[in-house]
């Protein structure tokens, strides 16, 4: 467990409030039951991707390649449903605790969007993101690793140009985030720590490029999340606070859709 003057690198996919699940379910249900695809039309299109992720905090960084699978709904009128999953291997680096290579990282993104009636180039909705970093192992300086899990709910807005090869700009504001650090995996006498985060922004720029065999879509995504609340732990003779530090995440890559 780190004192409050140090960062605590933690992230959670479990124990999200019921209201978050109900909100996400309501948006998804509204998109699926209000409009149905016509017979013979495909429900969605698949893409694969390859890219690079660079995550940083004031005293540590995670960098490495990632592969992705992406699905986007078709023929749902003003509604769009999307699901993305990235699987990566990252290298951990910290001046305080050393290096640890080839760490498994899993990111998922679920979005439900609705196009504006007056301006169909604009969409808005609700998004659910999760991150899981599996830090098992011992660093080069002898520190034990632990899993970091995260769940975040975002309010997204999208704009796309009206052309055969459109530009797309996605932005979002963090509504709620929860981060869990499984410190008990390092020492059973330590307690897992859960932190809440309320401030964050998300920006992505991509472009669709038609080809003879399908489509290519280069993208760049930047995410910033502010410092969390402080989780206080009362120990014999002292009180210790832990928090999730301010962080940045840059993801760049290329998607392919093969026809």
């Amino acid at each position: 467990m780190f004192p409050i003057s140090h960062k605590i690198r933690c992230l959670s996919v479990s124990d999200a409030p019921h209201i978050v699940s109900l909100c996400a379910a309501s948006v998804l249900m509204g998109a699926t039951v209000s409009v149905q695809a016509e017979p013979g039309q495909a429900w969605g299109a698949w893409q694969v991707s390859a890219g690079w992720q660079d995550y940083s905090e004031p005293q540590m960084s995670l960098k490495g390649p990632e592969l992705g699978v992406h699905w986007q709904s078709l023929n749902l009128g003003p509604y769009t449903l999307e699901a993305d999953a990235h699987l990566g291997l990252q290298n951990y680096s910290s001046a305080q605790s050393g290096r640890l290579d080839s760490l498994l990282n899993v990111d998922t993104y679920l979005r439900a969007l609705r196009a504006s009636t007056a301006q169909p180039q604009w969409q808005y909705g609700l998004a659910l993101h999760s991150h899981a970093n599996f830090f098992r192992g011992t660093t080069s300086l002898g520190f034990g690793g632990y899993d970091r899990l995260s769940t975040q709910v975002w309010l997204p807005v999208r704009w796309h140009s009206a052309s055969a090869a459109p530009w797309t700009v996605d932005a979002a504001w963090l509504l709620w985030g929860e981060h869990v650090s499984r410190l008990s995996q390092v020492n059973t006498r330590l307690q897992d720590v859960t932190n809440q985060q309320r401030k964050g922004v998300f920006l992505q720029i991509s472009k669709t490029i038609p080809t003879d065999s399908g489509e290519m879509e280069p993208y760049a995504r930047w995410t910033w999340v502010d410092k969390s609340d402080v989780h206080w732990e009362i120990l014999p003779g002292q009180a210790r606070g832990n928090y999730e530090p301010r962080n940045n995440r840059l993801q760049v890559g290329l998607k392919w859709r093969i026809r």
Side-chain angles (χ1 to χ4, degrees):
M1 180 91 55
F2 298 98
I4 191 171
S5 60
H6 292 69
K7 65 179 180 296
I8 180 163
R9 303 178 303 277
C10 53
L11 300 170
S12 160
V13 275
S14 59
D15 303 323
H18 294 302
I19 188 171
V20 173
S21 300
L22 290 174
C23 289
S26 298
V27 175
L28 293 174
M29 288 179 63
T32 54
V33 303
S34 298
V35 182
Q36 296 183 354
E38 297 181 6
Q41 292 183 324
W43 276 95
W46 291 89
Q47 292 175 297
V48 295
S49 69
W52 181 268
Q53 182 171 170
D54 186 338
Y55 173 90
S56 63
E57 296 176 2
Q59 299 178 18
M60 64 85 81
S61 67
L62 287 165
K63 299 179 181 180
E66 59 184 7
L67 299 176
V69 178
H70 314 269
W71 180 86
Q72 184 180 65
S73 66
L74 300 173
N75 308 310
L76 292 182
Y79 294 97
T80 300
L81 304 180
E82 296 178 347
D84 304 318
H86 289 98
L87 177 65
L89 289 178
Q90 297 185 328
N91 295 329
Y92 169 86
S93 178
S94 169
Q96 289 186 331
S97 54
R99 292 184 57 86
L100 188 59
D101 294 337
S102 300
L103 300 170
L104 182 64
N105 180 78
V106 180
D107 296 338
T108 65
Y109 303 84
L110 303 175
R111 289 176 294 277
L113 302 171
R114 191 186 194 285
S116 168
T117 303
Q119 297 179 317
Q121 290 175 254
W122 289 88
Q123 294 176 290
Y124 58 91
L126 195 66
L128 178 66
H129 293 186
S130 71
H131 311 282
N133 301 126
F134 300 100
F135 276 22
R136 301 300 180 91
T138 304
T139 70
S140 59
L141 296 181
F143 289 84
Y146 50 85
D147 294 345
R148 300 152 24 103
L149 306 169
S150 171
T151 299
Q152 299 169 345
V153 179
W154 297 79
L155 184 65
V157 177
R158 172 178 295 172
W159 172 87
H160 62 87
S161 61
S163 66
W167 285 91
T168 301
V169 178
D170 289 271
W173 179 260
L174 180 64
L175 297 178
W176 171 87
E178 180 185 83
H179 300 257
V180 171
S181 185
R182 304 296 190 191
L183 297 183
S184 60
Q185 296 172 346
V186 178
N187 190 324
T188 55
R189 291 177 297 178
L190 299 177
Q191 297 181 354
D192 295 342
V193 174
T194 299
N195 294 106
Q196 306 292 323
Q197 289 181 314
R198 301 294 182 180
K199 291 183 180 180
V201 293
F202 169 97
L203 180 65
Q204 175 177 295
I205 300 176
S206 62
K207 178 165 178 69
T208 301
I209 303 174
T211 67
D212 293 338
S213 58
E215 293 176 345
M216 294 191 303
E217 185 180 340
Y219 66 88
R221 175 187 299 145
W222 175 76
T223 307
W224 173 86
V225 179
D226 201 2
K227 184 172 69 175
S228 74
D229 64 351
V230 178
H231 176 93
W232 289 97
E233 182 181 12
I234 307 300
L235 301 174
Q238 65 174 321
R240 184 166 60 187
N242 302 280
Y243 68 96
E244 177 71 15
R246 182 181 296 112
N247 60 79
N248 295 277
R249 186 187 305 268
L250 176 64
Q251 293 169 278
V252 295
L254 181 65
K255 297 180 183 179
W256 295 275
R257 176 178 296 161
I258 302 175
R259 293 173 182 167

